[in-house]
Amino acid sequence: MSALYLAVIGVGGVGQAFLSQLSNLPSSLRPSLIFVSRSTKQLYNSSYSAINASDLPSSTSKLLSLSELSTYLSSAPGKAILVDNTSDQDIANAYPSFLRAGISIVTPSKKAFSSNLQLWTDIFSAVDASNGKALVYHESSCGAGLPVISTIKDLVATGDQVTRIEGVFSGTMSFLFNSFAPADGSGKGKWSEIVAQAKDAGFTEPDPRDDLNGMDVARKLTILARIAGLKVQGPDSFPVQSLIPDALASAKDSNEFMQELREFDGEMERYKDQAAKQGKVVRYVGSVDVVAGKVKVGLEFVDQGTPIASLTGSDNLICFYTKRYGANPLVIQGSGAGGEVTAMGVTADLIKVVERLR
Amino acid sequence: MSALYLAVIGVGGVGQAFLSQLSNLPSSLRPSLIFVSRSTKQLYNSSYSAINASDLPSSTSKLLSLSELSTYLSSAPGKAILVDNTSDQDIANAYPSFLRAGISIVTPSKKAFSSNLQLWTDIFSAVDASNGKALVYHESSCGAGLPVISTIKDLVATGDQVTRIEGVFSGTMSFLFNSFAPADGSGKGKWSEIVAQAKDAGFTEPDPRDDLNGMDVARKLTILARIAGLKVQGPDSFPVQSLIPDALASAKDSNEFMQELREFDGEMERYKDQAAKQGKVVRYVGSVDVVAGKVKVGLEFVDQGTPIASLTGSDNLICFYTKRYGANPLVIQGSGAGGEVTAMGVTADLIKVVERLR
């Protein structure tokens, strides 16, 4: 069994939870931590001896560039694994060069897998060319720790045909609509009030527009569609319904946006009423029609009593319709956001990489 | 990358589907098939050259015993993997000796993991002692190809605490109760009629008593409870409600049983009515209370509108309540029976074993 070395970029919410889970792994599954960084701070040493993440200094004078980090890791006295807990596009863009240098990647980031198709191709070509030496695992890039990526990869790898993917892919959107238009018809306030409550409770991004523009869901759908075999160019290459009204696109900050959002309560109320008149509820749904090659994200009226209509809290729900599974889909449901469950996907991926490399 | 060798025992429904999926894997993931057997037929050769499963002769004069098979496989010029597609207890009992001989096991069989606790301990001790050389994967031993075993193993391995497991674990029981007492209150006939229809359609075991005694569900619960950390002695060490009326326990065959089952339609109808009066439906549910250390299997009255009450067809539904996931469980739902989806779990496991061993 050969020695394995670990570099961790990003020690925010997910990163801290990951480091905590890592510290509780049995030593046989725990690579030696030799590099930790957070924004402009880095901790490492030239002798590749194990470091303690809590010793990260308050500032670092000489920072390794991504290319220097790649050289540092590929020169380690054993195989190296990079855990990227950021959502930094520059780091994502460097995955192919890390992989070509024999460094495996584990990440919850969506950026590398949902940006331009060339980056996707470069990443998986580098994995293939490495002959099992450099691996990529990214379970938490969709649905956090829920077994979404692993399941669709298993379906495809064993020869099933995924025909349709459908569901609620954002914990924030799930919470907003489950509160605004619950299946029991109650409803807990106006749309702008519910968005404000969610923001105050930390259930949205600091700027709620980053959830309401639908791009988070579009990125997840891009990843799943690509695994299912579609050559999706990127998250802006298919229809995505933004819940940021055109008139508010120029709001100068999130406070001004939240103020003005009230003017659109009537429009959201009309959606809710229209759906109710048809015995349905309004939900923010993403779907991939693999057969027709179509991806879309936006509001849909969903039948009462269906799993999507019955969701509560901030649960995600992902349905895979496949040839083998027939009329009833394979369904995965549960919390799709939060530091602990996101880190769980990262830690479980790391274990799989260690088991393959050691 | 070292050569890998494959032995397959059992080429019935699941076995045939597995061989078909195997033949479609890319060559880099497909070990060399060197042994195939079905009851008293075997195909292999002393030079370890690849064989074709369809060449299995109609009879074999000199059969390898399990111990001879172990010697044959451990002497192969590369690591060997045994796929056991039977539900044979004798083969299951031999897993520890196969593993100690460095042979990995992939199986949909429940027998090895749900029989006496000593066998379980022997299997996983042998895996641990092999230092990653001999592996065991058994995804399809619960929920067929649904990602049930892998998910609970990931939860536990990353340090989550599974507090409760609950669900519908039998496709047959699911079909029977979804037909007998659907959530919409309709119902499609008397209990004995529905059992007869299911038998005719091949949705039950040839003798429906093998489903109705609840042991299939009890075995699955035993496996999950053990992975969650409980020292369950076996599937007969906790309460399992059999749906075979005491008075019919001595029916001499399944035909006599099916005849006499009609006398118990009244009793099942009463369960259904009692549940309906409480706004509920009757379902055959299994649960593991990990905190209290209790496992049970049997009829329960389930609230309308809950995922279990809303199941259709022969879907399984498994809920994992954990410390990290909080109030809302991680839920996996979908078909949990059938040759193709069961074989899918076996094939996906084989891929993982190949990726780790090669």
Side-chain angles (χ1 to χ4, degrees), chain A residues 125-156:
Chain A
S125 304
V127 170
D128 289 345
S130 83
N131 243 330
K133 223 187 120 202
L135 310 171
V136 166
Y137 277 70
H138 57 101
E139 184 60 75
S140 287
S141 65
C142 181
L146 297 175
V148 175
I149 299 291
S150 51
T151 297
I152 184 172
K153 287 200 170 178
D154 281 351
L155 289 167
V156 171

Side-chain angles (χ1 to χ4, degrees), chain A residues 66-67 70 89-100 105 119:
Chain A
L66 286 170
S67 133
S70 177
Q89 186 71 53
D90 289 338
I91 300 174
N93 291 343
Y95 288 179
S97 61
F98 278 104
L99 290 163
R100 284 192 293 263
I105 308 266
L119 179 56

Side-chain angles (χ1 to χ4, degrees), chain A residues 3 23 29 48 80 123 138 160 186 209 222 245 256 282 319 335:
Chain A
S23 69
L29 294 174
Y48 296 102
I123 288 170
H138 57 101
D160 201 356
S186 56
R209 290 176 292 186
T222 300
E256 185 179 312
V282 60
C319 301
S335 175

